[in-house]
């Protein structure tokens, strides 16, 4: 049975039998894996504190031939969302982890998405505003998958988007004020686009210095929800996780 060890982010866990858990985790070098943590639900489990969503762990696991599930040897937390001070941080950690899980197929190595997870966890424990952090994370996740629409040019006429752009379902893109009328869609202001432009250049821990007012938060929340739903081709489950901790706006 080959043993692998390295670094990973825990994405989610399920109960298995009386005392065990199935753990879905994203390794830096071998993509997403699914494994059994024996005894993880026991009070004195060696996995205690290591299996919360978005925990960064040093992990060792055994792979068995022709078996989809690996077996976890051990998992030591390196950084945990439990260290975050803001009351809703834990719910956001679960949201980020659930989005990574929804998005990434098993075994696909994606170093930049892994880094996004790590830097988002760092920002979470450094008290970056959670609303802004969530919009940043969604923007980058969509961008790294190559599906974030242009925030500079209208998808139809190619002119600058200007100050009254709309995210339109038919195009899955932003349209300018000339092209958007009659299409419905989600209005997105200059402030929101400015936030995205800055997000493209700074790590999430630097978001403290990037202003994002409540209106821009709402616009990007609605726009990203639509983009995620289109590209995941359903109402993304992770969105439901987040809506449980924050009232509809
Ligand atoms: Zn246009």
């Amino acid at each position: 049975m080959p043993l692998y060890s390295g670094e990973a982010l825990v994405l989610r866990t399920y109960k298995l039998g009386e005392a065990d858990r199935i753990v879905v985790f994203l390794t830096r070098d071998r993509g997403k894996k699914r494994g059994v943590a024996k005894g993880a639900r026991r009070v004195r489990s060696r996995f205690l504190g290591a299996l919360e969503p978005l925990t960064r762990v040093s992990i060792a696991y055994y792979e068995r031939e022709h078996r989809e599930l690996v077996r976890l040897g051990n998992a030591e937390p390196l950084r945990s969302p439990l260290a975050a001070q803001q009351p809703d941080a834990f719910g956001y950690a679960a949201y980020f982890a659930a989005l990574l899980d929804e998005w990434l197929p098993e075994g696909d190595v994606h170093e930049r998405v892994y880094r996004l997870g790590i830097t988002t966890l760092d920002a979470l424990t450094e008290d970056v505003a959670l609303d802004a952090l969530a919009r940043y994370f969604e923007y980058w996740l969509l961008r790294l998958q190559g599906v974030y629409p242009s925030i500079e040019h209208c998808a139809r006429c190619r002119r600058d988007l200007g100050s009254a752009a709309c995210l339109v379902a038919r195009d899955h893109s932003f349209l300018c004020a000339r092209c958007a009328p009659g299409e419905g869609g989600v209005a997105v202001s200059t402030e929101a686009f400015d936030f995205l432009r800055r997000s493209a250049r700074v790590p999430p821990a630097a978001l403290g210095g990037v202003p994002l007012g409540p209106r821009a938060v709402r616009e990007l929340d609605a726009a990203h929800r639509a983009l995620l739903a289109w590209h995941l081709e359903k109402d993304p489950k992770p969105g439901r996780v987040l809506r449980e901790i924050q009232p509809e706006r």
Side-chain angles (χ1 to χ4, degrees):
M1 238 178 356
L3 170 71
Y4 294 93
S5 60
E7 212 187 83
L9 273 173
V10 174
L11 301 184
R12 64 178 303 172
T13 67
Y14 308 86
K15 290 177 185 173
L16 177 69
E18 288 293 302
D20 307 337
R21 277 190 188 282
I22 290 184
V23 185
V24 184
F25 58 100
L26 178 65
T27 66
R28 182 194 285 274
D29 55 344
R30 302 183 71 239
K32 190 169 85 172
K33 297 277 171 191
R34 201 172 286 271
V36 177
K38 284 269 182 201
R41 285 160 63 212
R42 296 218 168 90
V43 182
R44 291 178 198 213
S45 159
R46 66 199 144 120
F47 297 109
L48 202 67
L51 301 183
E52 304 300 337
L54 212 67
T55 305
R56 183 180 184 180
V57 288
S58 162
I59 203 166
Y61 59 95
Y62 300 90
E63 254 180 28
R64 293 171 287 186
E65 229 179 311
H66 310 304
R67 298 281 283 275
E68 209 179 294
L69 286 172
V70 305
R71 206 188 79 209
L72 266 66
N74 69 300
E76 294 283 332
L78 300 172
R79 190 151 208 181
S80 168
L82 294 169
Q85 304 288 321
Q86 303 181 79
D88 285 340
F90 203 61
Y92 277 83
Y95 169 66
F96 300 141
L99 263 186
L100 290 171
D101 185 27
E102 282 275 304
W103 204 285
L104 300 170
E106 258 166 68
D108 256 22
V109 180
H110 208 314
E111 171 83 25
R112 294 191 73 191
V113 174
Y114 184 83
R115 286 226 35 91
L116 173 65
I118 297 292
T119 52
T120 300
L121 169 64
D122 290 348
L124 196 76
T125 55
E126 284 159 24
D127 288 342
V128 167
L130 293 170
D131 269 344
L133 182 59
R135 305 301 79 88
Y136 179 99
F137 179 86
E138 293 154 351
Y139 167 66
W140 266 102
L141 185 62
L142 289 156
R143 204 177 150 191
L144 290 175
Q145 304 293 325
V147 295
Y148 206 95
S150 170
I151 58 174
E152 304 298 340
H153 305 290
C154 171
R156 287 203 193 151
C157 72
R158 300 282 149 202
R159 289 192 183 94
D160 281 356
L161 280 172
S163 59
C166 251
L167 180 71
V168 170
R170 187 137 65 99
D171 303 68
H172 288 192
S173 293
F174 294 109
L175 299 187
C176 71
R178 258 180 296 232
C179 299
E183 296 281 356
V186 181
V188 177
S189 61
T190 311
E191 186 196 349
F193 282 121
D194 285 346
F195 172 81
L196 296 178
R197 283 185 201 110
R198 283 231 38 207
S199 294
R201 297 195 303 266
V202 300
L207 277 181
V210 183
L212 188 64
R215 183 179 138 203
V217 167
R218 274 197 305 276
E219 292 167 348
L220 289 178
D221 184 21
H224 290 177
R225 212 179 275 183
L227 284 167
L228 288 165
W230 295 333
H231 292 291
L232 291 169
E233 287 171 1
K234 59 195 163 187
D235 183 26
K237 269 186 253 128
R240 291 204 287 278
V241 175
L242 197 56
R243 268 168 268 158
E244 279 166 23
I245 62 164
Q246 58 178 202
E248 270 316 319
R249 290 174 296 213

